[in-house]
Amino acid sequence: MKIAGVQMDVALGQPAANLAKIISKLTETAAAGATLTVFPECVLTGYCFDSREEALEHAETIPGPSTQRLAEACAATNSFAVVGMLEAAGDSLYNAAVLVGPAGVLGSYRKVHLPFLGIDRFTSYGDRPFAVHAADGLNVGMNICYDASFPEAARCLALQGADLIALPTNWPPGSECAAASAINTRAMENGVYYIAVNRVGEENGFPFIGHSRIADPTGATLATLPHDNEAILYAEIDLSRVRNKHYVRVPGKHEIDRFADRRPHLYGPVIEPHGLMPPGRTDSDSELAN
């Protein structure tokens, strides 16, 4: 199975133009044989809004008008897409990613870990458990950007059977180490394919670094875009390889199974409340920390 990542520029507050570009790129990647194409974080709307009210003008429900257009494009190309967007849900605003296929929305994700940056200063914390969704036999888990800095997020998806973790992201300067190291580490420690797709260009004074990449279950880099230009990266993935978590290097002498070798009864401190206040957040925003 071939997958693709579209590293592209985004127009802030212009979802119609961004959607047209997304569909054009999806048509291109599907023609090149990609079954699944991943796009950046907030690719539909842009990221660097200066207020919640400004961002809400461009947020949509899931499903909604844009996901319907995406489903039509997936049906026309017989492919699937992971797309970053802003989700309006009642009175809440979420930084979200959606998995869409020919039949419509297959799953969505709300960003759990929020940095004090861009639209994440004004969105609500993701409020749903990590989940895995099937796309043409491929089990897909979704995280978004800053989530990759928290190994628990990827581990939850891997334990639920994810073959691939898709990370739409908006890495600004300062994220070079995450781009170069965290993606391969998350792939290796969970034995999964991991695709991180960043945007390029600039919004409200914030540039974005590109550096999208795909890593295999051993942590090796399959494809990378080591620059901040628009481009597409591709990789072939092997489901039989990712579903074997027991690595036999020397039979009876050197065998590795990172799931069987876990010792969860010693991991209690990982899930204990910390009571700390995230920068720029209020008490009501921080309930999940307590």
Side-chain angles (χ1 to χ4, degrees), residues 170-181:
N170 276 186
W171 284 324
S175 304
E176 289 82 1
C177 184
S181 303

Side-chain angles (χ1 to χ4, degrees), residues 242-262:
V242 72
R243 291 175 182 176
N244 174 29
K245 306 298 185 185
H246 183 189
Y247 302 152
V248 180
R249 294 169 179 164
V250 180
K253 294 185 178 181
H254 185 188
E255 303 185 16
I256 297 291
D257 188 328
R258 288 191 176 84
F259 284 9
D261 294 339
R262 293 182 311 117

Side-chain angles (χ1 to χ4, degrees), residues 91 129 146 266:
D91 294 330
Y146 194 40
L266 298 176

Side-chain angles (χ1 to χ4, degrees), residues 113-136:
H113 302 96
L114 301 179
F116 194 68
L117 175 68
I119 187 55
D120 287 324
R121 295 172 295 167
F122 312 114
T123 55
S124 297
Y125 286 98
D127 58 352
R128 298 188 305 214
F130 299 107
V132 173
H133 312 281
D136 195 31

Side-chain angles (χ1 to χ4, degrees), residues 154-217:
R155 178 53 55 88
C156 286
L157 293 170
L159 289 173
Q160 294 179 73
D163 302 313
L164 172 86
I165 296 176
L167 186 86
T169 185
N170 276 186
W171 284 324
S175 304
E176 289 82 1
C177 184
S181 303
I183 303 313
N184 300 71
T185 302
R186 296 290 90 81
M188 177 274 296
E189 66 194 7
N190 292 294
V192 297
Y193 289 99
Y194 202 118
I195 177 171
V197 182
N198 193 28
R199 63 160 294 179
V200 297
E202 183 177 310
E203 280 184 3
N204 284 346
F206 279 93
F208 297 91
I209 66 172
H211 290 254
S212 302
R213 68 171 48 210
I214 303 172
D216 78 1

Side-chain angles (χ1 to χ4, degrees), residues 82-83 97-99 107-109 130-133 140-144 147 157 164-168:
V82 172
V83 176
V98 61
L99 172 64
S108 63
Y109 170 72
F130 299 107
V132 173
H133 312 281
V140 179
M142 292 177 282
N143 282 167
I144 298 175
D147 289 323
L157 293 170
L164 172 86
I165 296 176
L167 186 86

